[in-house]
Amino acid sequence: MGGMTLPKIQCIDAQFLVQKTAFEVMDGGETYGKLKEINPDIKVLLSSGYGINGKTTEILDLGCNGFIQKPFNMKILSKKI
């Protein structure tokens, strides 16, 4: 979703989330940290079109539950979940 921003996370009532590596306002590591503060039990699958690089590895090392390469379809997403 081009132009999507996540300036403020207030409430996450979810059990699972596919997260971009970076947003315009906050990077992926900061976003992941905020999500875990709000809901420590949330499962997060990191998504990027750039593959696993340094920033992606840093976020995965924070405890992110996995990685999925963009573009992906429902079959690939189902296998990851």
Side-chain angles (χ1 to χ4, degrees):
M1 293 182 167
M4 184 176 155
T5 61
L6 190 62
K8 192 172 186 180
I9 301 172
Q10 293 180 338
C11 178
I12 298 293
D13 185 20
Q15 294 178 0
F16 179 79
L17 177 79
V18 177
Q19 176 192 318
K20 290 174 51 171
T21 305
F23 291 93
E24 294 173 6
V25 176
M26 157 183 338
D27 74 15
E30 185 179 359
T31 303
Y32 177 76
K34 295 282 186 191
L35 290 168
K36 293 303 269 188
E37 282 177 24
I38 294 166
N39 182 353
D41 298 324
I42 195 166
K43 305 293 185 220
V44 178
L45 184 62
L46 190 61
S47 175
S48 173
Y50 297 104
I52 297 179
N53 58 27
K55 188 62 177 170
T56 305
T57 301
E58 288 175 25
I59 299 167
L60 289 168
D61 289 346
L62 292 173
C64 195
N65 298 92
F67 175 81
I68 189 168
Q69 175 77 40
K70 288 194 276 183
F72 56 87
N73 58 36
M74 288 304 293
K75 184 177 179 179
I76 295 168
L77 180 59
S78 295
K79 286 181 181 181
K80 286 288 185 175
I81 295 173

